[in-house]
Amino acid sequence: MTRAFVVVMDSVGIGGAPDAHDFFNGDVPDTGANTLGHIRAACAAGKAEDGRSGPLKVPNLDTLGLSHALALADPSFDAPNKPSGGLWGAATEKSQGKDTPSGHWELAGLPVPWDWHYFPKSTPSFPDEVTAEVCRLAGTDGILGNCHGSGTVMIDQFGAEHLKSNWPICYTSVDSVFQIAGHEQSFGLGALMDLCAGLAPMLHAMKVGRVIARPFIGEPGAFQRTANRRDFAITPPSSVLTNWVQDAGRPVHAIGKIGDIFSMQGIDDVRKGPDADLMEHLEHWVRYAEEGSLTFANFVEFDSLYGHRRDVSGYARHLEWFDAKLGRLLMQLRVGDMMLITADHGNDPTWVGTDHTRERVPVLIAGQGHGALGQMNFTDVALRVADHLGVDVPAPSASVQTQ
């Protein structure tokens, strides 16, 4: 019996999605978006020099086959001449979304069986009945925001008024989300969590994927979001990889927002924090996870700190940081372990707008030999992990297939 580690580099896409033309940032289709490829090109051209310098340096990921996967997904990038030291492939998503739940559910074996509900870009963005329910739950006469926007911009724009009125700051994006920002002291962290939990059933019934609590601290001009974010996500309508492993009597450890994404379905414990802390948690489980266990991790700061903010240098720095830490992890794997590194969507920091980009993602596997896996489906990730752990994969229920 051996162990499995699934590590999601949130938003590290590799371009080449065949349906990218159907997804947009504003009025611009995602055709040609390539998160990793364009970061590599910017670094090579000396255009990502803030806090780092020169070509992108990710030797451990490249040894596993990252550059091979990039060239497979997007042939405009040259394939390396040397063989890889791991298994590598490029995965294509089926679900009609380029968001966190769509990507993670499908990586875990379940393509999203419905169309998500998205809020219009008009202002106000939310239906009157949703606004009224927020007000009822919060005990306020109104809300702030009620529009599409970036979280940091929303708290800068409405934070001072929020401190005076105690009205929650509510906003959305091109993803299927309803986000609520509240000051941890004046509004109250517990009150914010209760508000999101109370609102979630109504929005889940509308097929809004997540209600996200976005707590912040500070004073006007110096507001700062905290690590106490929580996602109240729709529960997957059918079993996924975490359930398959847990149902087989094996431990399942979650790191980062994995517990929120899967509504704790099939998960025994969760460790959260910024990416630096998450890396320590991952190293802990690489050292101590039980035989036959699954550890499922998400590193979100590629996406949240650098992709959405279109920070090419920051994204490159984070890739290099992750790669250096990965080298230490790989040395600690036991014989027979599988470590599978992938992503859930793209977020090309060179692209227009501030939203995710529709892309293929890399699939890199350490500890299981080396060579090409070829073009894959997102769901192949779950099937490979289940096969490695020797757990049964149930057939999809008819109700999920027909929704």
Side-chain angles (χ1 to χ4, degrees):
M1 191 179 298
T2 55
R3 308 176 302 168
F5 302 88
V6 176
V7 181
V8 179
M9 302 183 296
D10 200 303
S11 84
V12 183
I14 53 175
D19 57 357
H21 57 276
D22 292 328
F23 296 82
F24 292 82
N25 264 260
D27 296 327
V28 178
D30 287 344
T31 307
N34 189 320
T35 301
L36 178 66
H38 289 157
I39 292 171
R40 277 192 185 275
C43 291
K47 297 179 179 179
E49 299 288 304
D50 184 7
R52 60 163 311 280
S53 185
L56 184 68
K57 303 173 187 68
V58 286
N60 294 299
L61 288 166
D62 277 341
T63 295
L64 292 178
L66 181 60
S67 293
H68 294 76
L70 172 62
L72 176 64
D74 185 345
S76 67
F77 290 87
D78 294 332
N81 292 323
K82 60 183 180 180
S84 72
L87 296 171
W88 57 272
T92 303
E93 186 173 8
K94 175 182 176 181
S95 302
Q96 291 304 301
K98 52 177 180 175
D99 52 84
T100 293
S102 296
H104 282 77
W105 285 16
E106 193 163 333
L107 289 169
L110 178 66
V112 177
W114 54 61
D115 290 331
W116 296 112
H117 177 84
Y118 301 95
F119 293 108
K121 290 188 176 180
S122 57
T123 302
S125 292
F126 307 127
D128 291 343
E129 60 270 23
V130 171
T131 301
E133 181 65 2
V134 175
C135 292
R136 185 187 73 80
L137 291 167
T140 61
D141 295 328
I143 65 173
L144 301 172
N146 202 344
C147 60
H148 280 239
S150 165
T152 52
V153 173
M154 290 293 98
I155 62 174
D156 286 343
Q157 182 176 350
F158 297 106
E161 188 176 352
H162 168 75
L163 291 178
K164 294 178 182 178
S165 68
N166 215 39
W167 288 10
I169 304 170
C170 302
Y171 60 101
T172 187
S173 72
V174 294
D175 289 343
S176 181
V177 295
F178 189 102
Q179 305 194 68
I180 307 179
H183 196 279
E184 286 197 2
Q185 281 77 47
S186 66
F187 192 84
L189 181 60
L192 177 62
M193 297 301 171
D194 289 343
L195 171 57
C196 291
L199 183 65
M202 177 185 192
L203 293 184
H204 291 170
M206 296 168 59
K207 294 298 186 287
V208 175
R210 291 175 291 165
V211 177
I212 305 178
R214 289 288 198 172
F216 66 98
I217 57 174
E219 302 295 332
F223 290 124
Q224 182 178 357
R225 294 198 294 192
T226 74
N228 292 320
R229 162 184 170 159
R230 182 176 174 189
D231 294 29
F232 295 81
I234 292 180
T235 300
S238 184
S239 66
V240 294
L241 175 63
T242 53
N243 301 110
W244 309 342
V245 176
Q246 192 180 68
D247 290 348
R250 315 282 186 77
V252 179
H253 308 296
I255 296 174
K257 61 182 183 178
I258 296 297
D260 292 339
I261 293 167
F262 294 104
S263 300
M264 290 302 294
Q265 298 300 298
I267 293 171
D268 292 298
D269 54 73
V270 180
R271 297 191 178 197
K272 292 187 173 184
D275 276 9
D277 291 349
L278 300 185
M279 187 60 74
E280 292 183 6
H281 297 324
L282 180 56
E283 183 171 357
H284 169 85
W285 287 125
V286 168
R287 289 181 176 180
Y288 302 115
E290 307 88 339
E291 290 297 309
S293 65
L294 169 66
T295 300
F296 201 159
N298 172 284
F299 287 85
V300 71
E301 290 177 5
F302 296 104
D303 186 57
S304 61
L305 296 185
Y306 308 115
H308 286 300
R309 299 180 187 183
R310 296 301 189 250
D311 182 351
V312 180
S313 293
Y315 209 127
R317 288 197 311 271
H318 208 59
L319 282 165
E320 292 172 339
W321 167 82
F322 179 89
D323 187 84
K325 296 294 185 180
L326 176 63
R328 180 180 174 90
L329 295 178
L330 294 176
M331 290 189 295
Q332 297 180 69
L333 292 177
R334 300 173 190 168
V335 174
D337 282 346
M338 167 190 280
M339 178 171 283
L340 189 153
I341 301 164
T342 188
D344 53 342
H345 49 71
N347 200 344
D348 188 341
T350 73
W351 211 243
V352 299
T354 60
D355 299 318
H356 296 156
T357 43
R358 180 72 163 188
E359 302 178 39
R360 288 184 168 120
V361 302
V363 177
L364 313 175
I365 301 178
Q368 301 295 303
H370 56 88
L373 299 170
Q375 297 285 1
M376 309 169 61
N377 297 314
F378 271 39
T379 51
D380 290 332
V381 167
L383 297 179
R384 279 193 164 269
V385 174
D387 180 69
H388 173 74
L389 293 176
V391 301
D392 293 334
V393 178
S397 67
S399 61
V400 171
Q401 289 176 321
T402 58
Q403 284 190 57

